[in-house]
Amino acid sequence: MLVQNPSRIFKADLSVWKKENSCILNEMVIEEDCRLRRTIEVVFDRNGSFELKYQSNSSILIIVLYGEILINDFEKPISAEQIFTLKSSDNNFLTIKNNLPNEKADILIFELKSKTEGDFFTVEDLNLDQKNTLIQISENLKLPNFIGLYDGRREEEYSLYKKGKSIFGMVINGAFEFQNRLMEVRDAIIISKLETLEFEALSENALIIFFEI
């Protein structure tokens, strides 16, 4: 029988969106003592921009869900199925702009605590051609991080790298049963004191992200 570990669920239909500089955003602040500080989803209108202020000793992961963005004065735009990671020892900010004048853009931002020294940024491709398996999102985050695209009724069991740690999971598309808890689009969850995570996709092309935190 599956043990119900301590958990906290963030339901998308109870969250609050706010408008800021030609974009709308939904911020989820993580109050638990863990590596993840917050997540933000930003939907850009045409010519929209957003200023992301982050704390010192942070790692930033930005996933482009659709559209194309430009970050600060970096020469190359970042498009769907690409990710941006940044490690910074100092508190600072990023200016993120919609780079397509006639289209909208949608991004997910994850701000995590960093325990390592050194500053850098990278852009990586995110290939989701392979279904029904977990794919590492970024090689540059110093914690286990995965994304998976699943067919309906497919099940998965994941053994944590560090037993007894917590998992943060978010459903990007579709629906999942996540450790016996129903999770739908943009719902998120933190489950504590885990050794093994079990989940099942309840719809076609269901997409999930999770981190060991």
Side-chain angles (χ1 to χ4, degrees), residues 11-173:
K11 296 296 292 182
D13 55 4
L14 299 178
S15 63
V16 177
W17 290 81
K18 65 178 182 179
K19 188 171 177 60
E20 184 176 311
N21 296 333
S22 300
C23 62
I24 57 171
L25 59 99
N26 186 352
E27 182 176 13
M28 182 190 308
V29 178
I30 308 301
E31 298 174 352
E32 282 78 1
D33 182 20
C34 64
R35 295 283 300 277
L36 180 63
R37 288 192 172 117
R38 59 176 175 158
T39 74
I40 310 172
E41 181 172 3
V42 185
V43 180
F44 296 85
D45 205 346
R46 295 166 181 82
N47 301 314
S49 65
F50 173 66
E51 188 174 275
L52 172 68
K53 296 179 181 178
Y54 54 85
Q55 299 182 40
S56 58
N57 299 314
S58 288
S59 292
I60 305 296
L61 170 67
I62 300 177
I63 301 176
V64 180
L65 299 179
Y66 64 80
E68 186 177 276
I69 60 170
L70 201 61
I71 299 178
N72 287 4
D73 295 321
F74 303 149
E75 293 182 2
K76 292 185 178 180
I78 302 165
S79 59
E81 297 187 0
Q82 287 186 307
I83 62 167
F84 172 90
T85 54
L86 175 141
K87 162 69 178 64
S88 179
S89 302
D90 301 319
N91 61 312
N92 209 327
F93 68 91
L94 293 172
T95 300
I96 307 169
K97 299 177 181 178
N98 183 357
N99 196 50
L100 298 176
N102 298 316
E103 297 184 26
K104 294 186 177 183
D106 188 359
I107 65 172
L108 283 174
I109 303 170
F110 300 89
E111 181 179 344
L112 302 119
K113 299 174 187 175
S114 177
K115 297 181 179 180
T116 59
E117 297 182 355
D119 295 355
F120 67 85
F121 74 87
T122 62
V123 177
E124 303 168 76
D125 292 328
L126 185 60
N127 189 337
L128 293 176
D129 289 342
Q130 190 174 1
K131 298 180 73 174
N132 304 314
T133 189
L134 292 171
I135 298 167
Q136 185 178 34
I137 301 170
S138 173
E139 298 178 352
N140 295 295
L141 293 179
K142 300 302 181 183
L143 79 175
N145 59 98
F146 297 97
I147 190 169
L149 182 65
Y150 287 85
D151 294 321
R153 312 315 304 185
R154 289 299 296 257
E155 299 180 6
E156 183 80 63
E157 183 174 296
Y158 168 78
S159 296
L160 275 69
Y161 282 74
K162 294 185 177 180
K163 307 302 182 185
K165 294 286 284 183
S166 298
I167 284 282
F168 171 85
M170 176 181 281
V171 176
I172 307 304
N173 186 61

